[in-house]
PDB file of all heavy atoms in Angstrom:
ATOM      1  N   GLU C   1      41.248 -36.114  -2.813  1.00 96.00           N
ATOM      2  CA  GLU C   1      40.470 -36.109  -1.708  1.00 96.00           C
ATOM      3  C   GLU C   1      39.364 -35.035  -1.925  1.00 96.00           C
ATOM      4  O   GLU C   1      39.600 -34.126  -2.716  1.00 96.00           O
ATOM      5  CB  GLU C   1      41.163 -35.903  -0.325  1.00 96.00           C
ATOM      6  CG  GLU C   1      41.801 -34.492  -0.312  1.00 96.00           C
ATOM      7  CD  GLU C   1      42.547 -34.275   1.112  1.00 96.00           C
ATOM      8  OE1 GLU C   1      42.392 -35.091   1.914  1.00 96.00           O
ATOM      9  OE2 GLU C   1      43.216 -33.174   1.121  1.00 96.00           O
ATOM     10  N   PRO C   2      38.139 -35.111  -1.297  1.00 97.00           N
ATOM     11  CA  PRO C   2      37.176 -34.077  -1.464  1.00 97.00           C
ATOM     12  C   PRO C   2      37.728 -32.695  -1.001  1.00 97.00           C
ATOM     13  O   PRO C   2      38.037 -32.619   0.209  1.00 97.00           O
ATOM     14  CB  PRO C   2      35.968 -34.638  -0.700  1.00 97.00           C
ATOM     15  CG  PRO C   2      36.160 -36.023  -0.574  1.00 97.00           C
ATOM     16  CD  PRO C   2      37.654 -36.229  -0.492  1.00 97.00           C
ATOM     17  N   PRO C   3      37.888 -31.701  -1.823  1.00 97.00           N
ATOM     18  CA  PRO C   3      38.333 -30.423  -1.381  1.00 97.00           C
ATOM     19  C   PRO C   3      37.325 -29.632  -0.674  1.00 97.00           C
ATOM     20  O   PRO C   3      36.425 -29.080  -1.279  1.00 97.00           O
ATOM     21  CB  PRO C   3      38.799 -29.791  -2.698  1.00 97.00           C
ATOM     22  CG  PRO C   3      37.946 -30.430  -3.760  1.00 97.00           C
ATOM     23  CD  PRO C   3      37.607 -31.727  -3.349  1.00 97.00           C
ATOM     24  N   ALA C   4      37.463 -29.567   0.661  1.00 96.00           N
ATOM     25  CA  ALA C   4      36.431 -28.881   1.518  1.00 96.00           C
ATOM     26  C   ALA C   4      36.346 -27.380   1.180  1.00 96.00           C
ATOM     27  O   ALA C   4      35.284 -26.826   1.451  1.00 96.00           O
ATOM     28  CB  ALA C   4      36.837 -29.079   3.004  1.00 96.00           C
ATOM     29  N   GLU C   5      37.417 -26.747   0.709  1.00 96.00           N
ATOM     30  CA  GLU C   5      37.492 -25.370   0.358  1.00 96.00           C
ATOM     31  C   GLU C   5      36.496 -25.013  -0.744  1.00 96.00           C
ATOM     32  O   GLU C   5      36.255 -23.857  -1.003  1.00 96.00           O
ATOM     33  CB  GLU C   5      38.906 -24.938   0.004  1.00 96.00           C
ATOM     34  CG  GLU C   5      39.538 -25.518  -1.132  1.00 96.00           C
ATOM     35  CD  GLU C   5      40.366 -26.772  -0.855  1.00 96.00           C
ATOM     36  OE1 GLU C   5      39.994 -27.544   0.098  1.00 96.00           O
ATOM     37  OE2 GLU C   5      41.365 -26.894  -1.421  1.00 96.00           O
ATOM     38  N   PHE C   6      36.082 -26.052  -1.563  1.00 98.00           N
ATOM     39  CA  PHE C   6      35.174 -25.799  -2.655  1.00 98.00           C
ATOM     40  C   PHE C   6      33.735 -26.006  -2.305  1.00 98.00           C
ATOM     41  O   PHE C   6      32.752 -25.829  -3.170  1.00 98.00           O
ATOM     42  CB  PHE C   6      35.460 -26.509  -3.866  1.00 98.00           C
ATOM     43  CG  PHE C   6      36.900 -26.212  -4.393  1.00 98.00           C
ATOM     44  CD1 PHE C   6      37.582 -27.377  -5.016  1.00 98.00           C
ATOM     45  CD2 PHE C   6      37.410 -25.057  -4.200  1.00 98.00           C
ATOM     46  CE1 PHE C   6      38.899 -27.052  -5.458  1.00 98.00           C
ATOM     47  CE2 PHE C   6      38.812 -24.790  -4.692  1.00 98.00           C
ATOM     48  CZ  PHE C   6      39.495 -25.839  -5.330  1.00 98.00           C
ATOM     49  N   LEU C   7      33.421 -26.564  -1.176  1.00 98.00           N
ATOM     50  CA  LEU C   7      32.042 -26.942  -0.816  1.00 98.00           C
ATOM     51  C   LEU C   7      31.098 -25.757  -0.748  1.00 98.00           C
ATOM     52  O   LEU C   7      29.856 -25.877  -1.020  1.00 98.00           O
ATOM     53  CB  LEU C   7      32.076 -27.598   0.544  1.00 98.00           C
ATOM     54  CG  LEU C   7      32.536 -29.142   0.548  1.00 98.00           C
ATOM     55  CD1 LEU C   7      32.783 -29.575   1.892  1.00 98.00           C
ATOM     56  CD2 LEU C   7      31.692 -29.987  -0.285  1.00 98.00           C
ATOM     57  N   ASP C   8      31.588 -24.586  -0.364  1.00 97.00           N
ATOM     58  CA  ASP C   8      30.732 -23.404  -0.338  1.00 97.00           C
ATOM     59  C   ASP C   8      30.146 -23.087  -1.818  1.00 97.00           C
ATOM     60  O   ASP C   8      29.027 -22.867  -2.015  1.00 97.00           O
ATOM     61  CB  ASP C   8      31.446 -22.129   0.161  1.00 97.00           C
ATOM     62  CG  ASP C   8      32.773 -21.870  -0.501  1.00 97.00           C
ATOM     63  OD1 ASP C   8      33.169 -22.690  -1.387  1.00 97.00           O
ATOM     64  OD2 ASP C   8      33.565 -20.985   0.054  1.00 97.00           O
ATOM     65  N   LEU C   9      31.150 -23.185  -2.787  1.00 98.00           N
ATOM     66  CA  LEU C   9      30.633 -22.991  -4.190  1.00 98.00           C
ATOM     67  C   LEU C   9      29.729 -24.073  -4.641  1.00 98.00           C
ATOM     68  O   LEU C   9      28.782 -23.867  -5.478  1.00 98.00           O
ATOM     69  CB  LEU C   9      31.856 -22.878  -5.158  1.00 98.00           C
ATOM     70  CG  LEU C   9      32.826 -21.816  -4.757  1.00 98.00           C
ATOM     71  CD1 LEU C   9      34.008 -21.775  -5.795  1.00 98.00           C
ATOM     72  CD2 LEU C   9      32.197 -20.423  -4.758  1.00 98.00           C
ATOM     73  N   VAL C  10      29.999 -25.335  -4.321  1.00 98.00           N
ATOM     74  CA  VAL C  10      29.150 -26.464  -4.738  1.00 98.00           C
ATOM     75  C   VAL C  10      27.843 -26.303  -4.134  1.00 98.00           C
ATOM     76  O   VAL C  10      26.744 -26.544  -4.888  1.00 98.00           O
ATOM     77  CB  VAL C  10      29.688 -27.730  -4.114  1.00 98.00           C
ATOM     78  CG1 VAL C  10      28.747 -28.927  -4.475  1.00 98.00           C
ATOM     79  CG2 VAL C  10      31.121 -28.027  -4.800  1.00 98.00           C
ATOM     80  N   ALA C  11      27.563 -25.853  -2.913  1.00 98.00           N
ATOM     81  CA  ALA C  11      26.304 -25.625  -2.323  1.00 98.00           C
ATOM     82  C   ALA C  11      25.511 -24.560  -3.149  1.00 98.00           C
ATOM     83  O   ALA C  11      24.289 -24.785  -3.477  1.00 98.00           O
ATOM     84  CB  ALA C  11      26.376 -25.203  -0.901  1.00 98.00           C
ATOM     85  N   ILE C  12      26.206 -23.546  -3.514  1.00 98.00           N
ATOM     86  CA  ILE C  12      25.576 -22.385  -4.204  1.00 98.00           C
ATOM     87  C   ILE C  12      25.100 -22.913  -5.496  1.00 98.00           C
ATOM     88  O   ILE C  12      23.888 -22.570  -5.980  1.00 98.00           O
ATOM     89  CB  ILE C  12      26.431 -21.099  -4.190  1.00 98.00           C
ATOM     90  CG1 ILE C  12      26.707 -20.584  -2.860  1.00 98.00           C
ATOM     91  CG2 ILE C  12      25.865 -20.130  -5.271  1.00 98.00           C
ATOM     92  CD1 ILE C  12      27.761 -19.537  -2.786  1.00 98.00           C
ATOM     93  N   GLY C  13      25.989 -23.428  -6.328  1.00 97.00           N
ATOM     94  CA  GLY C  13      25.504 -23.853  -7.645  1.00 97.00           C
ATOM     95  C   GLY C  13      24.490 -24.924  -7.646  1.00 97.00           C
ATOM     96  O   GLY C  13      23.566 -24.831  -8.537  1.00 97.00           O
ATOM     97  N   THR C  14      24.579 -25.836  -6.669  1.00 97.00           N
ATOM     98  CA  THR C  14      23.478 -26.854  -6.691  1.00 97.00           C
ATOM     99  C   THR C  14      22.224 -26.365  -6.334  1.00 97.00           C
ATOM    100  O   THR C  14      21.100 -26.629  -6.875  1.00 97.00           O
ATOM    101  CB  THR C  14      24.011 -27.988  -5.649  1.00 97.00           C
ATOM    102  OG1 THR C  14      25.243 -28.448  -5.982  1.00 97.00           O
ATOM    103  CG2 THR C  14      23.034 -29.124  -5.492  1.00 97.00           C
ATOM    104  N   ILE C  15      22.065 -25.405  -5.265  1.00 97.00           N
ATOM    105  CA  ILE C  15      20.895 -24.846  -4.929  1.00 97.00           C
ATOM    106  C   ILE C  15      20.313 -23.997  -5.979  1.00 97.00           C
ATOM    107  O   ILE C  15      19.208 -24.072  -6.464  1.00 97.00           O
ATOM    108  CB  ILE C  15      21.052 -23.871  -3.684  1.00 97.00           C
ATOM    109  CG1 ILE C  15      21.365 -24.762  -2.427  1.00 97.00           C
ATOM    110  CG2 ILE C  15      19.840 -23.114  -3.459  1.00 97.00           C
ATOM    111  CD1 ILE C  15      21.820 -23.978  -1.236  1.00 97.00           C
ATOM    112  N   ALA C  16      21.170 -23.233  -6.678  1.00 96.00           N
ATOM    113  CA  ALA C  16      20.763 -22.355  -7.803  1.00 96.00           C
ATOM    114  C   ALA C  16      20.270 -23.044  -8.932  1.00 96.00           C
ATOM    115  O   ALA C  16      19.232 -22.609  -9.648  1.00 96.00           O
ATOM    116  CB  ALA C  16      21.903 -21.471  -8.251  1.00 96.00           C
ATOM    117  N   ASP C  17      20.766 -24.294  -9.209  1.00 93.00           N
ATOM    118  CA  ASP C  17      20.302 -25.086 -10.408  1.00 93.00           C
ATOM    119  C   ASP C  17      19.070 -25.798 -10.272  1.00 93.00           C
ATOM    120  O   ASP C  17      18.624 -26.528 -11.242  1.00 93.00           O
ATOM    121  CB  ASP C  17      21.442 -25.819 -11.079  1.00 93.00           C
ATOM    122  CG  ASP C  17      21.472 -25.892 -12.509  1.00 93.00           C
ATOM    123  OD1 ASP C  17      21.429 -24.873 -13.132  1.00 93.00           O
ATOM    124  OD2 ASP C  17      21.609 -26.992 -13.128  1.00 93.00           O
ATOM    125  N   LEU C  18      18.449 -25.844  -9.066  1.00 92.00           N
ATOM    126  CA  LEU C  18      17.272 -26.519  -8.786  1.00 92.00           C
ATOM    127  C   LEU C  18      17.263 -27.949  -9.052  1.00 92.00           C
ATOM    128  O   LEU C  18      16.334 -28.587  -9.492  1.00 92.00           O
ATOM    129  CB  LEU C  18      16.162 -25.779  -9.489  1.00 92.00           C
ATOM    130  CG  LEU C  18      15.879 -24.338  -9.232  1.00 92.00           C
ATOM    131  CD1 LEU C  18      14.799 -23.812 -10.164  1.00 92.00           C
ATOM    132  CD2 LEU C  18      15.725 -24.076  -7.814  1.00 92.00           C
ATOM    133  N   VAL C  19      18.390 -28.708  -8.920  1.00 94.00           N
ATOM    134  CA  VAL C  19      18.554 -30.111  -9.054  1.00 94.00           C
ATOM    135  C   VAL C  19      17.933 -30.777  -7.889  1.00 94.00           C
ATOM    136  O   VAL C  19      17.705 -30.218  -6.733  1.00 94.00           O
ATOM    137  CB  VAL C  19      19.921 -30.590  -9.400  1.00 94.00           C
ATOM    138  CG1 VAL C  19      20.465 -30.046 -10.792  1.00 94.00           C
ATOM    139  CG2 VAL C  19      20.981 -30.063  -8.290  1.00 94.00           C
ATOM    140  N   SER C  20      17.755 -32.092  -7.897  1.00 95.00           N
ATOM    141  CA  SER C  20      17.172 -32.887  -6.905  1.00 95.00           C
ATOM    142  C   SER C  20      17.937 -32.745  -5.581  1.00 95.00           C
ATOM    143  O   SER C  20      19.173 -33.142  -5.447  1.00 95.00           O
ATOM    144  CB  SER C  20      17.050 -34.376  -7.336  1.00 95.00           C
ATOM    145  OG  SER C  20      16.596 -35.163  -6.222  1.00 95.00           O
ATOM    146  N   MET C  21      17.213 -32.303  -4.531  1.00 97.00           N
ATOM    147  CA  MET C  21      17.852 -32.078  -3.210  1.00 97.00           C
ATOM    148  C   MET C  21      17.747 -33.489  -2.391  1.00 97.00           C
ATOM    149  O   MET C  21      17.239 -33.379  -1.422  1.00 97.00           O
ATOM    150  CB  MET C  21      17.212 -30.940  -2.586  1.00 97.00           C
ATOM    151  CG  MET C  21      18.116 -30.421  -1.272  1.00 97.00           C
ATOM    152  SD  MET C  21      19.692 -30.025  -1.857  1.00 97.00           S
ATOM    153  CE  MET C  21      19.275 -28.358  -2.608  1.00 97.00           C
ATOM    154  N   THR C  22      18.227 -34.547  -2.960  1.00 96.00           N
ATOM    155  CA  THR C  22      18.280 -35.799  -2.368  1.00 96.00           C
ATOM    156  C   THR C  22      19.647 -36.428  -2.561  1.00 96.00           C
ATOM    157  O   THR C  22      20.496 -35.837  -3.124  1.00 96.00           O
ATOM    158  CB  THR C  22      17.330 -36.787  -3.032  1.00 96.00           C
ATOM    159  OG1 THR C  22      17.557 -36.785  -4.508  1.00 96.00           O
ATOM    160  CG2 THR C  22      15.848 -36.267  -2.960  1.00 96.00           C
ATOM    161  N   ASP C  23      19.934 -37.512  -1.750  1.00 97.00           N
ATOM    162  CA  ASP C  23      21.073 -38.279  -1.953  1.00 97.00           C
ATOM    163  C   ASP C  23      22.417 -37.458  -1.784  1.00 97.00           C
ATOM    164  O   ASP C  23      22.531 -36.724  -0.870  1.00 97.00           O
ATOM    165  CB  ASP C  23      21.079 -39.040  -3.352  1.00 97.00           C
ATOM    166  CG  ASP C  23      21.939 -40.346  -3.243  1.00 97.00           C
ATOM    167  OD1 ASP C  23      23.099 -40.234  -3.086  1.00 97.00           O
ATOM    168  OD2 ASP C  23      21.450 -41.404  -3.476  1.00 97.00           O
ATOM    169  N   GLU C  24      23.333 -37.515  -2.783  1.00 98.00           N
ATOM    170  CA  GLU C  24      24.503 -36.868  -2.696  1.00 98.00           C
ATOM    171  C   GLU C  24      24.347 -35.280  -2.687  1.00 98.00           C
ATOM    172  O   GLU C  24      25.179 -34.555  -2.051  1.00 98.00           O
ATOM    173  CB  GLU C  24      25.529 -37.350  -3.783  1.00 98.00           C
ATOM    174  CG  GLU C  24      26.925 -36.981  -3.464  1.00 98.00           C
ATOM    175  CD  GLU C  24      27.987 -37.655  -4.467  1.00 98.00           C
ATOM    176  OE1 GLU C  24      27.600 -37.844  -5.565  1.00 98.00           O
ATOM    177  OE2 GLU C  24      29.096 -37.809  -3.979  1.00 98.00           O
ATOM    178  N   ASN C  25      23.543 -34.853  -3.503  1.00 98.00           N
ATOM    179  CA  ASN C  25      23.277 -33.464  -3.444  1.00 98.00           C
ATOM    180  C   ASN C  25      22.901 -32.941  -2.089  1.00 98.00           C
ATOM    181  O   ASN C  25      23.378 -31.874  -1.711  1.00 98.00           O
ATOM    182  CB  ASN C  25      22.226 -32.986  -4.470  1.00 98.00           C
ATOM    183  CG  ASN C  25      22.576 -33.011  -5.907  1.00 98.00           C
ATOM    184  OD1 ASN C  25      23.832 -33.003  -6.185  1.00 98.00           O
ATOM    185  ND2 ASN C  25      21.645 -33.082  -6.862  1.00 98.00           N
ATOM    186  N   ARG C  26      22.120 -33.664  -1.418  1.00 97.00           N
ATOM    187  CA  ARG C  26      21.759 -33.258  -0.007  1.00 97.00           C
ATOM    188  C   ARG C  26      23.001 -33.172   0.850  1.00 97.00           C
ATOM    189  O   ARG C  26      23.135 -32.226   1.711  1.00 97.00           O
ATOM    190  CB  ARG C  26      20.725 -34.201   0.474  1.00 97.00           C
ATOM    191  CG  ARG C  26      20.160 -33.967   1.807  1.00 97.00           C
ATOM    192  CD  ARG C  26      19.024 -34.874   2.128  1.00 97.00           C
ATOM    193  NE  ARG C  26      18.526 -34.885   3.551  1.00 97.00           N
ATOM    194  CZ  ARG C  26      17.916 -33.883   4.043  1.00 97.00           C
ATOM    195  NH1 ARG C  26      17.381 -32.889   3.327  1.00 97.00           N
ATOM    196  NH2 ARG C  26      17.498 -33.823   5.381  1.00 97.00           N
ATOM    197  N   THR C  27      23.835 -34.112   0.710  1.00 98.00           N
ATOM    198  CA  THR C  27      25.058 -34.213   1.508  1.00 98.00           C
ATOM    199  C   THR C  27      25.934 -32.999   1.131  1.00 98.00           C
ATOM    200  O   THR C  27      26.446 -32.382   2.097  1.00 98.00           O
ATOM    201  CB  THR C  27      25.826 -35.460   1.277  1.00 98.00           C
ATOM    202  OG1 THR C  27      24.908 -36.589   1.710  1.00 98.00           O
ATOM    203  CG2 THR C  27      27.093 -35.508   2.094  1.00 98.00           C
ATOM    204  N   LEU C  28      26.141 -32.836  -0.187  1.00 98.00           N
ATOM    205  CA  LEU C  28      26.978 -31.626  -0.645  1.00 98.00           C
ATOM    206  C   LEU C  28      26.471 -30.359  -0.149  1.00 98.00           C
ATOM    207  O   LEU C  28      27.204 -29.502   0.328  1.00 98.00           O
ATOM    208  CB  LEU C  28      27.136 -31.660  -1.984  1.00 98.00           C
ATOM    209  CG  LEU C  28      27.922 -32.869  -2.745  1.00 98.00           C
ATOM    210  CD1 LEU C  28      27.806 -32.952  -4.157  1.00 98.00           C
ATOM    211  CD2 LEU C  28      29.534 -32.727  -2.384  1.00 98.00           C
ATOM    212  N   VAL C  29      25.225 -30.193  -0.292  1.00 98.00           N
ATOM    213  CA  VAL C  29      24.618 -28.869   0.239  1.00 98.00           C
ATOM    214  C   VAL C  29      24.760 -28.673   1.646  1.00 98.00           C
ATOM    215  O   VAL C  29      25.019 -27.600   2.171  1.00 98.00           O
ATOM    216  CB  VAL C  29      23.146 -28.742  -0.361  1.00 98.00           C
ATOM    217  CG1 VAL C  29      22.430 -27.455   0.317  1.00 98.00           C
ATOM    218  CG2 VAL C  29      23.113 -28.569  -1.771  1.00 98.00           C
ATOM    219  N   ALA C  30      24.320 -29.771   2.454  1.00 97.00           N
ATOM    220  CA  ALA C  30      24.536 -29.629   3.890  1.00 97.00           C
ATOM    221  C   ALA C  30      25.904 -29.231   4.322  1.00 97.00           C
ATOM    222  O   ALA C  30      26.127 -28.387   5.127  1.00 97.00           O
ATOM    223  CB  ALA C  30      24.024 -30.931   4.558  1.00 97.00           C
ATOM    224  N   LEU C  31      26.890 -29.921   3.778  1.00 98.00           N
ATOM    225  CA  LEU C  31      28.360 -29.600   4.059  1.00 98.00           C
ATOM    226  C   LEU C  31      28.608 -28.200   3.655  1.00 98.00           C
ATOM    227  O   LEU C  31      29.448 -27.476   4.211  1.00 98.00           O
ATOM    228  CB  LEU C  31      29.228 -30.708   3.418  1.00 98.00           C
ATOM    229  CG  LEU C  31      29.148 -32.100   4.058  1.00 98.00           C
ATOM    230  CD1 LEU C  31      29.840 -33.037   3.176  1.00 98.00           C
ATOM    231  CD2 LEU C  31      29.599 -32.060   5.436  1.00 98.00           C
ATOM    232  N   GLY C  32      28.246 -27.882   2.349  1.00 97.00           N
ATOM    233  CA  GLY C  32      28.526 -26.622   1.704  1.00 97.00           C
ATOM    234  C   GLY C  32      27.905 -25.418   2.494  1.00 97.00           C
ATOM    235  O   GLY C  32      28.477 -24.343   2.680  1.00 97.00           O
ATOM    236  N   LEU C  33      26.747 -25.584   3.117  1.00 97.00           N
ATOM    237  CA  LEU C  33      26.169 -24.538   3.894  1.00 97.00           C
ATOM    238  C   LEU C  33      26.931 -24.300   5.109  1.00 97.00           C
ATOM    239  O   LEU C  33      27.080 -23.117   5.549  1.00 97.00           O
ATOM    240  CB  LEU C  33      24.712 -24.828   4.344  1.00 97.00           C
ATOM    241  CG  LEU C  33      23.638 -24.784   3.097  1.00 97.00           C
ATOM    242  CD1 LEU C  33      22.275 -25.288   3.513  1.00 97.00           C
ATOM    243  CD2 LEU C  33      23.479 -23.360   2.601  1.00 97.00           C
ATOM    244  N   GLU C  34      27.346 -25.344   5.801  1.00 96.00           N
ATOM    245  CA  GLU C  34      28.232 -25.149   6.992  1.00 96.00           C
ATOM    246  C   GLU C  34      29.547 -24.465   6.593  1.00 96.00           C
ATOM    247  O   GLU C  34      30.103 -23.693   7.307  1.00 96.00           O
ATOM    248  CB  GLU C  34      28.557 -26.524   7.492  1.00 96.00           C
ATOM    249  CG  GLU C  34      29.355 -26.629   8.826  1.00 96.00           C
ATOM    250  CD  GLU C  34      28.555 -25.944   9.884  1.00 96.00           C
ATOM    251  OE1 GLU C  34      27.254 -26.148   9.989  1.00 96.00           O
ATOM    252  OE2 GLU C  34      29.099 -25.360  10.804  1.00 96.00           O
TER     253      GLU C  34
END
């Protein structure tokens, strides 16, 4: 199952790496910021 306890790290790494903020990345970052 998606481990919610890692979403904070996923958001930080995704934002930092300047990948496309669309589709699933957008979802991961929105959940991660929360």
Side-chain angles (χ1 to χ4, degrees):
E1 64 178 355
E5 63 268 36
F6 300 149
L7 286 168
D8 49 4
L9 301 180
V10 175
I12 292 170
T14 301
I15 293 168
D17 218 48
L18 303 178
V19 291
S20 179
M21 196 60 71
T22 58
D23 206 299
E24 191 170 36
N25 281 342
R26 183 171 167 79
T27 300
L28 289 170
V29 169
L31 293 170
L33 289 172
E34 188 65 33

